[in-house]
Amino acid sequence: MPKNAAAWLPKLKKGQGPVYLLIADAIGADIAIGRLVAEQRLPAQRTLAEALGIDFTTVARAYAEAHKRGLVDSTVGRGTFVCGKRALAIPRAVAARPQVDLSMNMPPEPFTPELLALMRTSLADIGADMPGLLRYQDFGGSVADREAGALWLRRRGLAIAPERLLVVPGAQAALLAILSTIAPPGSVVCCEALTYPGLRALAGLMNLRLVGLPMDGEGIDALAFAAACAQYAPRALYCNPTLLNPTTATMSAQRRQALVQVARNYGVPIIEDDAYGFLPRNGPPPLAASGPDITYHVAGLAKCVGAGLRLAYVAAPDDVSAARVAAALRATAVMAAPFTAALATRWIRDGIADLALNAIRKESMARQRLAARILPPGSYLAHPEGFHLWINLPPQWDRLALTAHLRATGIGVVPSDAFAVDGAAPQAIRVCIGGIASQQEIGQALQRIADALKHPPLAQPAVL
């Protein structure tokens, strides 16, 4: 059996469970039949993800699961290898889903009975126009929905004419539409060196080359962006400037202005993913405030009102750009669901969206205080009004090993590999403290993470 990484691909039986578990099962099965042999190198995670047409995070979870079962071992800089001793996969029952899943970056759900009652009343009220909601709407949103979106963006300091604003079915659909109009296949898109996994998935789908830019505590370095513009002639800069997913970094107003100036100098449009922009009460103004002529501003509602509210507003640089994005949306998603758009419009105009946002902020702050009491000081990065943490690991821990260790104790987290664009991923994990879990459950999970950080193993055994 050759030990070339390209020699092995899993044979997956689709529809029989989560893909990451199917991959781990396939590794165990192929070891048992001799298709995989001791010390054989498995494909790199990105390579396998591309070959299978799946997200990188799925492969990372699969390898972490295989490591937990004692099937593979990973060495930084060398890759993932079949363990030296033949091992059989542990029973599927042991590989259950985490009891507390801190891997999905969702806002908390601190909705009081009074707020839920207002939400339900609004839902009933918009149903009065049932025939209208069952019809096709204007591409890019109705006039009323665009006006509500413009009203919402004023809270971020953006004065956007409704005709330059589009209503789209979520931020991911917005990114797909924007990239399809400004970045042809094979072109370069700059982004943070650690960036949103959804962008990486789109780049793979659209055959785009991502160039990760060096970062500091504020995010992208403006001088590095200028150097990349001169070297690569990128077709766009993607950035998540407020509470960056994953590191929680937030650009200062000065840094934003510097990036806008570089983008203007080189004629590079900016895609500003402002998913978390509404969370800080006193955050810096968007890049679109100082560079409205070159910025596509994407403001989704999933992170600041509710994860299931799949709606986003896109402010395009001009009318022509807006028309092109609208045409791309028409070709890919047709339109935002009228029910969802009408509900968002009602909540924005009635103040319910503000009530939900304030409740999310308040609960996030309480959970951040909880994290500060439990986790070792200086071990992580966070924002007081955000709901994810970036934990830098002590030298004795490997990120995949810690991910597998925590999963074995019922806690799901995401290793840094899911976010790394170029080069080696740092020894870090992202932890989300939002979602439906209670403060008590979050506290218990954070305590297990803290215990692991304080008492790392001296070595990670290959076979247990």
Side-chain angles (χ1 to χ4, degrees):
M1 171 73 68
K3 296 185 180 181
N4 189 324
W8 181 81
L9 282 178
K11 299 177 181 179
L12 304 182
K13 298 178 181 180
K14 296 183 178 180
Q16 296 190 11
V19 174
Y20 81 95
L21 290 180
L22 295 180
I23 295 174
D25 290 346
I27 292 173
D30 285 351
I31 289 173
I33 65 174
R35 187 167 177 251
L36 284 175
V37 298
E39 299 182 3
Q40 180 174 345
R41 183 177 180 178
L42 296 181
Q45 295 176 15
R46 292 188 182 88
T47 301
L48 186 57
E50 293 173 0
L52 297 177
I54 60 178
D55 187 80
F56 169 87
T57 307
T58 302
V59 178
R61 293 178 70 184
Y63 280 17
E65 177 65 23
H67 184 279
K68 184 183 74 173
R69 300 182 186 186
L71 302 173
V72 302
D73 204 3
S74 300
T75 303
V76 177
R78 294 185 63 237
T80 301
F81 296 79
V82 176
C83 288
K85 295 181 179 180
R86 180 172 293 223
L88 297 177
I90 61 173
R92 174 71 65 84
V94 180
R97 290 180 179 275
Q99 299 165 7
V100 182
D101 191 354
L102 308 184
S103 65
M104 293 297 293
N105 210 24
M106 300 181 294
E109 299 181 2
F111 304 136
T112 64
E114 294 78 13
L115 179 54
L116 288 173
L118 290 173
M119 290 176 167
R120 293 188 183 102
T121 299
S122 293
L123 184 61
D125 289 345
I126 66 170
D129 184 28
M130 188 61 67
L133 295 176
L134 293 176
R135 300 186 188 115
Y136 281 108
Q137 303 291 321
D138 296 336
F139 297 115
S142 68
V143 173
D145 294 336
R146 293 189 192 203
E147 289 176 346
L151 179 63
W152 183 246
L153 291 185
R154 285 196 201 116
R155 293 159 168 77
R156 288 285 288 129
L158 294 178
I160 306 296
E163 58 269 18
R164 197 158 61 84
L165 186 143
L166 302 172
V167 183
V168 303
Q172 192 73 359
L175 296 179
L176 172 62
I178 295 168
L179 287 170
S180 69
T181 64
I182 63 177
S187 61
V188 168
V189 173
C190 290
C191 61
E192 298 94 348
L194 295 168
T195 195
Y196 167 52
L199 175 69
R200 296 184 58 199
L202 287 176
L205 177 68
M206 303 173 71
N207 190 28
L208 301 176
R209 180 187 174 190
L210 294 182
V211 171
L213 301 177
M215 303 186 299
D216 57 19
E218 293 188 21
I220 293 173
D221 180 275
L223 292 178
F225 176 40
C229 288
Q231 180 177 357
Y232 299 106
R235 301 303 293 265
L237 168 68
Y238 167 92
C239 60
N240 177 199
T242 302
L243 303 187
L244 170 64
N245 179 14
T247 70
T248 78
T250 295
M251 293 182 191
S252 65
Q254 293 78 12
R255 178 66 58 85
R256 295 172 193 238
Q257 292 169 1
L259 286 176
V260 167
Q261 188 59 54
V262 172
R264 277 211 180 97
N265 291 345
Y266 288 92
V268 177
I270 297 172
I271 303 173
E272 180 179 26
D273 188 350
D274 203 38
Y276 309 94
F278 279 86
L279 294 177
R281 295 178 188 273
N282 299 303
L287 278 77
S290 54
D293 55 315
I294 59 170
T295 303
Y296 293 83
H297 181 83
V298 181
L301 298 180
K303 307 299 186 183
C304 58
V305 179
L309 195 61
R310 307 306 302 170
L311 199 80
Y313 302 111
V314 175
D318 50 53
D319 294 348
V320 174
S321 300
R324 289 174 178 168
V325 174
L329 285 166
R330 185 161 55 246
T332 55
V334 181
M335 62 181 181
F339 277 100
T340 305
L343 187 62
T345 293
R346 180 64 179 264
W347 285 2
I348 290 170
R349 294 196 174 280
D350 288 356
I352 293 175
D354 288 309
L355 293 174
L357 172 59
N358 289 333
I360 288 170
R361 282 177 181 152
K362 183 178 179 181
E363 179 67 15
S364 295
M365 292 173 70
R367 296 186 181 202
Q368 289 287 356
R369 290 192 294 269
L370 186 65
R373 291 196 299 269
I374 295 174
L375 295 176
S379 64
Y380 69 97
L381 300 174
H383 187 281
E385 294 167 304
F387 45 78
H388 68 279
L389 317 173
W390 184 244
I391 300 181
N392 293 299
L393 305 186
Q396 298 91 334
W397 268 121
D398 171 81
R399 61 196 182 278
L400 297 181
L402 178 58
T403 300
H405 168 78
L406 292 174
R407 188 170 189 86
T409 66
I411 301 169
V413 300
V414 183
S416 59
D417 304 71
F419 313 97
V421 176
D422 301 309
Q427 295 296 348
I429 59 173
R430 189 198 68 186
V431 175
C432 176
I433 55 175
I436 62 175
S438 66
Q439 285 192 31
Q440 180 180 4
E441 291 172 315
I442 294 292
Q444 292 170 347
L446 290 175
Q447 188 61 63
R448 292 180 188 175
I449 294 174
D451 291 342
L453 294 176
K454 292 175 183 176
H455 306 288
L458 295 178
Q460 291 301 305
V463 180
L464 300 178

